[in-house]
Amino acid sequence: MYQPFVLALLRSPRQVGAVAPSGPLLARAMAEAADPAGKRILEIGPGTGVITEALLDRGAPRDALYLLERDVTLAAFLGRKFPDINVIVGDARSVSNLISPDHAGSFDVIVSSLPLLNMKEADKVSILKQFFTLLRPDGVLIQYTYSAKAPIAPALATRHGIRGTRMSTIFRNLPPARVWKYGRDQTPAGQ
Protein backbone atom coordinates (compact mmCIF):
# COMPACT_ATOMS: atom_id res chain seq x y z
CA MET A 1 0.00 0.00 0.00
CA TYR A 2 2.82 2.41 0.78
CA GLN A 3 4.82 1.66 -2.38
CA PRO A 4 2.58 3.72 -4.73
CA PHE A 5 2.66 6.59 -2.23
CA VAL A 6 6.46 6.49 -1.86
CA LEU A 7 6.96 6.39 -5.62
CA ALA A 8 4.62 9.37 -6.09
CA LEU A 9 6.42 11.25 -3.31
CA LEU A 10 9.80 10.61 -4.95
CA ARG A 11 8.49 11.71 -8.37
CA SER A 12 6.94 14.93 -7.14
CA PRO A 13 7.18 15.78 -3.42
CA ARG A 14 5.46 19.20 -3.76
CA GLN A 15 2.55 17.64 -5.62
CA VAL A 16 1.99 14.98 -2.95
CA GLY A 17 2.19 17.50 -0.11
CA ALA A 18 2.53 14.92 2.69
CA VAL A 19 5.30 12.93 4.32
CA ALA A 20 3.13 9.83 4.77
CA PRO A 21 -0.23 8.56 3.53
CA SER A 22 -3.22 9.62 5.58
CA GLY A 23 -3.46 7.50 8.69
CA PRO A 24 -6.55 5.46 9.54
CA LEU A 25 -7.61 7.86 12.34
CA LEU A 26 -7.46 10.85 9.97
CA ALA A 27 -9.31 8.87 7.30
CA ARG A 28 -12.07 7.97 9.75
CA ALA A 29 -12.33 11.59 10.93
CA MET A 30 -12.65 12.78 7.31
CA ALA A 31 -15.34 10.18 6.60
CA GLU A 32 -17.20 11.05 9.80
CA ALA A 33 -17.21 14.75 8.89
CA ALA A 34 -18.41 13.88 5.36
CA ASP A 35 -21.29 11.71 6.66
CA PRO A 36 -21.23 9.95 3.25
CA ALA A 37 -24.16 7.51 3.40
CA GLY A 38 -26.37 8.01 0.37
CA LYS A 39 -24.46 11.05 -0.91
CA ARG A 40 -22.74 11.96 -4.19
CA ILE A 41 -19.09 12.49 -3.31
CA LEU A 42 -16.07 13.82 -5.15
CA GLU A 43 -12.77 12.96 -3.50
CA ILE A 44 -9.84 15.12 -4.58
CA GLY A 45 -6.32 13.71 -4.20
CA PRO A 46 -7.23 10.24 -2.92
CA GLY A 47 -3.63 9.02 -3.12
CA THR A 48 -3.61 5.36 -2.04
CA GLY A 49 -7.32 5.32 -1.15
CA VAL A 50 -7.15 5.31 2.65
CA ILE A 51 -9.85 7.99 2.94
CA THR A 52 -11.80 6.33 0.12
CA GLU A 53 -11.94 3.12 2.16
CA ALA A 54 -13.15 5.05 5.22
CA LEU A 55 -15.87 6.72 3.11
CA LEU A 56 -16.99 3.31 1.83
CA ASP A 57 -16.96 1.88 5.38
CA ARG A 58 -19.33 4.68 6.43
CA GLY A 59 -21.79 3.98 3.62
CA ALA A 60 -20.63 6.03 0.62
CA PRO A 61 -22.39 4.58 -2.43
CA ARG A 62 -19.78 3.17 -4.83
CA ASP A 63 -21.71 4.34 -7.90
CA ALA A 64 -21.89 7.93 -6.57
CA LEU A 65 -18.25 8.21 -5.55
CA TYR A 66 -15.78 9.92 -7.89
CA LEU A 67 -12.01 10.06 -7.30
CA LEU A 68 -9.86 12.76 -8.93
CA GLU A 69 -6.15 11.93 -8.80
CA ARG A 70 -3.44 13.94 -10.54
CA ASP A 71 -0.70 11.30 -10.36
CA VAL A 72 -1.15 8.80 -13.21
CA THR A 73 0.50 5.94 -11.30
CA LEU A 74 -1.66 6.49 -8.21
CA ALA A 75 -4.77 6.78 -10.41
CA ALA A 76 -3.95 3.41 -12.01
CA PHE A 77 -3.42 1.92 -8.54
CA LEU A 78 -6.82 3.29 -7.44
CA GLY A 79 -8.47 1.87 -10.57
CA ARG A 80 -7.17 -1.59 -9.69
CA LYS A 81 -8.04 -1.24 -6.00
CA PHE A 82 -11.55 0.14 -6.66
CA PRO A 83 -12.55 -1.16 -10.12
CA ASP A 84 -16.20 -0.23 -9.59
CA ILE A 85 -15.54 3.42 -8.63
CA ASN A 86 -15.12 6.33 -11.04
CA VAL A 87 -11.42 7.29 -11.13
CA ILE A 88 -10.57 10.45 -13.07
CA VAL A 89 -7.00 11.42 -13.89
CA GLY A 90 -6.44 15.14 -13.72
CA ASP A 91 -5.46 18.26 -11.86
CA ALA A 92 -7.79 19.92 -9.35
CA ARG A 93 -7.02 23.28 -10.96
CA SER A 94 -9.19 22.19 -13.89
CA VAL A 95 -11.68 20.00 -12.02
CA SER A 96 -14.75 21.61 -13.60
CA ASN A 97 -13.40 20.65 -17.06
CA LEU A 98 -12.80 17.06 -15.96
CA ILE A 99 -16.21 16.45 -14.43
CA SER A 100 -19.14 16.09 -16.80
CA PRO A 101 -21.14 19.35 -17.09
CA ASP A 102 -24.29 17.51 -16.01
CA HIS A 103 -22.62 17.00 -12.60
CA ALA A 104 -22.34 20.75 -11.92
CA GLY A 105 -24.13 21.52 -8.69
CA SER A 106 -24.82 17.85 -8.04
CA PHE A 107 -22.24 16.76 -5.45
CA ASP A 108 -23.26 16.66 -1.80
CA VAL A 109 -19.68 16.47 -0.53
CA ILE A 110 -16.18 17.17 -1.78
CA VAL A 111 -13.48 15.50 0.30
CA SER A 112 -10.14 17.16 -0.35
CA SER A 113 -6.60 16.11 0.49
CA LEU A 114 -5.07 19.04 -1.38
CA PRO A 115 -2.25 20.90 0.38
CA LEU A 116 -4.17 24.20 0.16
CA LEU A 117 -1.77 26.14 2.40
CA ASN A 118 1.11 25.30 0.04
CA MET A 119 -0.69 26.54 -3.08
CA LYS A 120 -0.44 29.84 -4.89
CA GLU A 121 -3.33 32.12 -3.96
CA ALA A 122 -4.64 32.27 -7.54
CA ASP A 123 -4.75 28.47 -7.78
CA LYS A 124 -6.47 28.20 -4.41
CA VAL A 125 -9.13 30.75 -5.39
CA SER A 126 -9.75 29.02 -8.73
CA ILE A 127 -10.06 25.61 -7.10
CA LEU A 128 -12.46 26.85 -4.42
CA LYS A 129 -14.69 28.52 -7.02
CA GLN A 130 -14.81 25.28 -9.00
CA PHE A 131 -15.51 23.21 -5.88
CA PHE A 132 -18.49 25.34 -4.91
CA THR A 133 -19.78 25.26 -8.51
CA LEU A 134 -19.76 21.46 -8.35
CA LEU A 135 -21.43 21.34 -4.92
CA ARG A 136 -25.17 21.54 -4.34
CA PRO A 137 -26.25 24.72 -2.51
CA ASP A 138 -26.17 22.85 0.81
CA GLY A 139 -23.07 20.84 -0.12
CA VAL A 140 -19.93 20.76 2.00
CA LEU A 141 -16.19 20.68 1.50
CA ILE A 142 -14.22 18.49 3.92
CA GLN A 143 -10.55 19.47 4.04
CA TYR A 144 -7.70 18.55 6.33
CA THR A 145 -4.52 20.40 7.15
CA TYR A 146 -1.34 19.69 9.07
CA SER A 147 -1.20 23.32 10.18
CA ALA A 148 -2.69 24.95 13.26
CA LYS A 149 -4.12 27.51 10.81
CA ALA A 150 -7.35 26.95 8.92
CA PRO A 151 -6.72 25.48 5.44
CA ILE A 152 -8.74 28.36 3.98
CA ALA A 153 -7.84 31.71 5.50
CA PRO A 154 -10.87 33.35 7.19
CA ALA A 155 -10.58 36.43 4.94
CA LEU A 156 -10.59 34.23 1.81
CA ALA A 157 -13.56 32.24 3.11
CA THR A 158 -15.52 35.42 3.86
CA ARG A 159 -14.66 36.88 0.45
CA HIS A 160 -16.11 33.77 -1.22
CA GLY A 161 -19.16 33.45 1.01
CA ILE A 162 -18.12 30.26 2.77
CA ARG A 163 -17.75 29.43 6.44
CA GLY A 164 -15.52 26.82 8.04
CA THR A 165 -15.72 24.83 11.23
CA ARG A 166 -12.92 22.74 12.69
CA MET A 167 -14.43 19.32 13.20
CA SER A 168 -11.59 17.42 14.85
CA THR A 169 -7.90 17.28 15.63
CA ILE A 170 -6.08 13.99 15.13
CA PHE A 171 -2.96 13.98 17.25
CA ARG A 172 -2.16 10.34 16.46
CA ASN A 173 -1.46 11.03 12.79
CA LEU A 174 1.92 11.68 11.18
CA PRO A 175 1.98 14.67 11.33
CA PRO A 176 -1.00 15.65 13.52
CA ALA A 177 -3.91 16.90 11.42
CA ARG A 178 -7.06 18.97 11.70
CA VAL A 179 -10.27 18.28 9.80
CA TRP A 180 -12.35 21.26 8.63
CA LYS A 181 -15.84 21.42 7.16
CA TYR A 182 -16.79 24.30 4.84
CA GLY A 183 -20.15 25.27 3.45
CA ARG A 184 -21.81 28.30 1.96
CA ASP A 185 -22.37 30.98 4.57
CA GLN A 186 -26.11 30.94 5.30
CA THR A 187 -25.98 33.97 7.63
CA PRO A 188 -28.70 36.44 6.63
CA ALA A 189 -27.42 39.74 5.22
CA GLY A 190 -26.87 42.43 7.84
CA GLN A 191 -26.06 40.03 10.67
Side-chain angles (χ1 to χ4, degrees):
M1 163 130 116
Y2 290 106
Q3 183 182 12
F5 176 85
V6 171
L7 293 174
L9 182 63
L10 292 173
R11 275 192 309 277
S12 183
R14 288 190 59 121
Q15 178 180 311
V16 172
V19 295
S22 299
L25 294 176
L26 173 57
R28 283 196 295 271
M30 292 286 282
E32 184 178 321
D35 188 23
K39 295 181 179 169
R40 289 181 56 83
I41 301 166
L42 174 59
E43 184 181 356
I44 307 289
T48 60
V50 176
I51 294 173
T52 308
E53 289 173 335
L55 290 167
L56 292 169
D57 288 347
R58 288 200 52 110
R62 296 178 99 81
D63 62 341
L65 180 56
Y66 293 76
L67 310 177
L68 176 68
E69 177 55 56
R70 179 178 170 177
D71 185 275
V72 176
T73 304
L74 285 174
F77 172 79
L78 291 165
R80 291 188 302 276
K81 186 174 182 177
F82 306 109
D84 56 343
I85 293 178
N86 302 290
V87 178
I88 304 160
V89 180
D91 192 305
R93 291 175 293 190
S94 56
V95 64
S96 59
N97 294 330
L98 299 168
I99 303 294
S100 173
D102 55 323
H103 290 315
S106 69
F107 287 99
D108 299 297
V109 181
I110 293 178
V111 175
S112 170
S113 295
L114 293 177
L116 290 179
L117 291 176
N118 297 343
M119 293 183 159
K120 295 177 186 173
E121 192 71 11
D123 288 340
K124 195 180 324 184
V125 168
S126 172
I127 289 169
L128 289 174
K129 283 182 182 177
Q130 292 177 75
F131 281 2
F132 281 92
T133 297
L134 292 169
L135 283 169
R136 296 166 41 100
D138 60 345
V140 295
L141 166 64
I142 308 299
Q143 174 72 52
Y144 72 86
T145 183
Y146 297 126
S147 174
K149 297 188 308 185
I152 301 170
L156 179 62
T158 299
R159 197 164 52 243
H160 292 281
I162 58 177
R163 181 177 291 201
T165 304
R166 188 174 68 204
M167 301 300 290
S168 59
T169 300
I170 301 84
F171 292 106
R172 292 177 41 198
N173 189 72
L174 178 64
R178 288 160 184 79
V179 175
W180 285 76
K181 183 180 209 173
Y182 288 90
R184 289 179 177 87
D185 190 351
Q186 303 297 326
T187 305
Q191 290 189 6

